[in-house]
Amino acid sequence: IDGEKMEKFTGINKYIQSESLQTLLNKLKDDTYKVSFWLRTDSKYDGTLTLGFENPAGGSLGSVKLRNVGKESGKWQKYEASFKATRSGSKDIAFVIRGNKPGTIQLDMVSLFPPTFRDRPNGLRKDIAEKIAALHPSFMRFPGGCVVEGNKTAERPQTNRFEWKKTIGPIEERPGHYNNNWFYPVTDGLGMMEYLLFCEDIGAEPLFVCNMGMGHGWEDADVHNDSQATRQKAFQMGENILRYVFSN
């Protein structure tokens, strides 16, 4: 939900909902889901929010209530909650935020997580991670090739490459980027630390892929036709990564 968009509850039990989650959730019942978001309200809203899954008919598949939301109007506050899904749905399941009185709220960085591998915060999907772990890999190369190189076009002049320093810290402070090679936005919620922790959890050596100063349709202006400068920049990146890894 766009943090720049003001959402208005014009009456009791009005709501905001996501698009269908059917393609993302293959099991609901008995799983515990963690929700976090940032919220700011106007002076007219100090009510209760109900968060949970619903089917098209409005039937609940599990929810939790947050009371006295927005007591400090005009200030951004972080809220966290969890709820257990009471049953599974067949199709068109949505994550819904309902209010119980009129007012205006502003939402940003809404995050919904199912159970994760090794219960890591902001972690990996359990079923996929378990299959990777069962392979007992000796190393894991990440984050990939094209995503490290990025792309640059007239329509999107930014290089849009994976920059590891922008993928660490609180998720609400990570700017994310647009994957210009495969045409989808990336939150970078799966960042440098998450990759490293996954390697640790499965007993694999991390193999980080460094950018060498070039990519799809672009080269660093500072290193154009200067292989020595390009190598030096890559070496510095590698050194910075090692310092970060060994200090954490």
Side-chain angles (χ1 to χ4, degrees):
I1 299 173
D2 189 351
E4 297 300 319
K5 181 181 179 182
M6 297 297 287
E7 300 289 354
K8 293 186 177 181
F9 292 135
T10 56
I12 294 175
N13 209 33
K14 294 300 182 182
Y15 61 92
I16 305 163
Q17 75 173 47
S18 68
E19 296 180 1
S20 173
L21 299 174
Q22 182 61 32
T23 56
L24 303 178
L25 302 172
N26 56 13
K27 178 183 178 295
L28 292 174
K29 188 177 180 181
D30 297 329
D31 281 348
T32 298
Y33 290 80
K34 295 181 180 179
V35 185
S36 66
F37 57 91
W38 287 79
L39 178 143
R40 183 167 61 182
T41 68
D42 65 9
S43 58
K44 298 178 181 178
Y45 197 87
D46 61 352
T48 296
L49 293 182
T50 301
L51 323 170
F53 294 130
E54 291 186 7
N55 60 27
S60 175
L61 284 73
S63 65
V64 63
K65 293 183 183 294
L66 294 180
R67 305 182 188 281
N68 300 317
V69 171
K71 293 177 70 174
E72 296 186 52
S73 63
K75 294 183 179 180
W76 283 106
Q77 294 176 279
K78 186 176 182 178
Y79 292 85
E80 297 178 292
S82 63
F83 65 93
K84 180 177 285 189
T86 55
R87 56 194 175 98
S88 295
S90 58
K91 61 179 181 178
D92 297 330
I93 302 164
F95 173 65
V96 177
I97 302 177
R98 287 186 179 273
N100 71 333
K101 60 170 59 178
T104 301
I105 68 170
Q106 190 173 13
L107 293 168
D108 200 356
M109 207 58 220
V110 180
S111 176
L112 173 68
F113 264 84
T116 60
F117 185 65
R118 300 287 176 87
D119 293 320
R120 290 286 192 183
N122 201 40
L124 296 175
R125 237 179 76 172
K126 198 172 180 180
D127 56 342
I128 294 177
E130 286 175 346
K131 287 179 171 58
I132 295 174
L135 297 173
H136 303 291
S138 59
F139 70 92
M140 188 178 80
R141 174 181 178 268
F142 66 91
C146 292
V147 70
V148 168
E149 292 182 355
N151 201 342
K152 185 175 182 179
T153 65
E155 294 77 20
R156 294 184 180 276
Q158 299 83 11
T159 58
N160 297 293
R161 59 182 170 180
F162 180 93
E163 298 185 50
W164 73 273
K165 287 185 178 180
K166 296 179 180 179
T167 72
I168 57 178
I171 57 173
E172 64 269 15
E173 295 179 8
R174 303 181 192 184
H177 69 283
Y178 187 86
N179 187 321
N180 217 15
N181 293 312
W182 307 116
F183 310 111
Y184 60 85
V186 183
T187 66
D188 286 326
L190 177 60
M192 186 71 180
M193 180 56 76
E194 287 77 19
Y195 278 118
L196 292 171
L197 290 174
F198 182 53
C199 288
E200 182 178 294
D201 286 341
I202 64 175
E205 291 292 329
L207 178 61
F208 182 76
V209 181
C210 290
N211 184 280
M212 292 295 291
M214 61 186 68
H216 293 264
W218 69 276
E219 292 182 65
D220 273 350
D222 295 337
V223 299
H224 186 64
N225 294 326
D226 189 341
S227 59
Q228 181 61 36
T230 300
R231 286 195 296 271
Q232 184 59 44
K233 191 170 185 177
F235 292 156
Q236 187 61 55
M237 179 189 293
E239 182 179 336
N240 291 341
I241 290 170
L242 289 174
R243 290 180 183 276
Y244 173 75
V245 171
F246 289 115
S247 65
N248 287 277

